Amino acid sequence: DAGITQSPRYKITETGRQVTLMCHQTWSHSYMFWYRQDLGHGLRLIYYSAAADITDKGEVPDGYVVSRSKTENFPLTLESATRSQTSVYFCASTQWEGYNSPLHFGNGTRLTVT
Amino acid sequence: GQQLNQSPQSMFIQEGEDVSMNCTSSSIFNTWLWYKQDPGEGPVLLIALYKAGELTSNGRLTAQFGITRKDSFLNISASIPSDVGIYFCAGHTGTASKLTFGTGTRLQVTL
């Protein structure tokens, strides 16, 4: 099925461990984004990418690393997970960055750090 | 960063009632967007507004871009059970990487 898929849907990890969240889109969209969703904060941008090998920080990038070696994949890595990174993570994509290009979201990964 | 104040935080309504929610900002936006998030899923775009004063409908949904460009509202008429979810407003000044989301309005519909 075409679209944007995230894996895993649920993940429990321990403090200090490295964990990678995967995002894959089949639309060949240029732009991809990672958001985290927390109660009382809405959605906050972690990192985004304008194209393969081009990434930039968003509002809350600390503790996260991204890469984009292929247009369709945009993995998010927590190098040493902390409890404050317990959250629901959403990946999104869009064809261009203009005002009339809406974001398409994946179904999210719920991450719990114990 | 920019902040969007969304209200109310949650609503409990009966099926058939109309719903109104709004979003205000201290900053001007060029675009206002309204998303809905169903339980366990990602947000889905409902309505996009591109001009101050613009009033746009999508079925039972109506949204307006405020004249001052600092606010927007969303109305849902004759609510039904599948309207349950979290509604987010979002605004940006021209680029998707600068999109700012509100904190969401959680809507519950009782029969």
Side-chain angles (χ1 to χ4, degrees):
Chain A
D1 236 356
I4 184 164
T5 55
Q6 293 183 236
S7 61
R9 285 300 307 271
Y10 303 92
K11 177 74 178 177
I12 300 174
T13 191
E14 293 178 341
T15 300
R17 291 205 183 249
Q18 182 181 81
V19 60
T20 296
L21 310 183
M22 305 301 293
C23 179
H24 175 79
Q25 52 106 355
T26 59
W27 291 307
S28 299
H29 283 171
S30 296
Y31 288 84
M32 296 187 74
F33 305 81
W34 274 106
Y35 288 88
R36 61 178 289 173
Q37 183 178 28
D38 304 290
L39 206 61
H41 289 281
L43 288 151
R44 292 181 293 174
L45 182 64
I46 304 170
Y47 268 97
Y48 68 100
S49 169
D53 297 321
I54 300 175
T55 63
D56 209 345
K57 295 177 180 179
E59 181 186 354
V60 289
D62 293 343
Y64 303 95
V65 174
V66 294
S67 62
R68 191 150 177 226
S69 56
K70 292 184 178 181
T71 300
E72 60 266 30
N73 297 323
F74 191 38
L76 176 74
T77 297
L78 288 68
E79 293 192 302
S80 178
T82 65
R83 288 200 180 92
S84 64
Q85 292 177 309
T86 293
S87 186
V88 181
Y89 291 85
F90 287 99
C91 180
S93 71
T94 188
Q95 178 55 25
W96 58 82
E97 210 187 6
Y99 68 96
N100 59 350
S101 182
L103 294 182
H104 299 273
F105 286 86
N107 283 335
T109 294
R110 183 176 293 275
L111 175 68
T112 301
V113 183
T114 62
Chain B
Q2 294 173 323
Q3 296 234 333
L4 289 184
N5 299 308
Q6 194 168 345
S7 65
Q9 284 189 326
S10 62
M11 304 180 74
F12 291 82
I13 62 168
Q14 286 197 323
E15 185 178 7
E17 288 185 353
D18 296 343
V19 172
S20 185
M21 59 191 78
N22 66 68
C23 212
T24 59
S25 169
S26 56
S27 306
I28 289 173
F29 288 107
N30 294 336
T31 299
W32 282 95
L33 306 168
W34 284 92
Y35 284 85
K36 184 195 175 195
Q37 184 179 17
D38 289 328
E41 297 185 12
V44 174
L45 183 66
L46 297 174
I47 291 180
L49 302 158
Y50 303 118
K51 290 194 312 187
E54 180 180 354
L55 184 71
T56 297
S57 293
N58 179 7
R60 294 177 296 106
L61 277 60
T62 302
Q64 183 156 31
F65 191 145
I67 288 290
T68 65
R69 293 164 62 193
K70 293 183 178 182
D71 63 323
S72 177
F73 72 74
L74 175 71
N75 287 341
I76 306 172
S77 63
S79 59
I80 59 177
S82 62
D83 290 334
V84 165
I86 304 175
Y87 291 80
F88 289 100
C89 62
H92 71 69
T93 54
T95 59
S97 62
K98 301 294 187 289
L99 196 61
T100 300
F101 283 86
T103 51
T105 293
R106 185 179 295 271
L107 179 64
Q108 298 275 23
V109 179
T110 57
L111 299 175

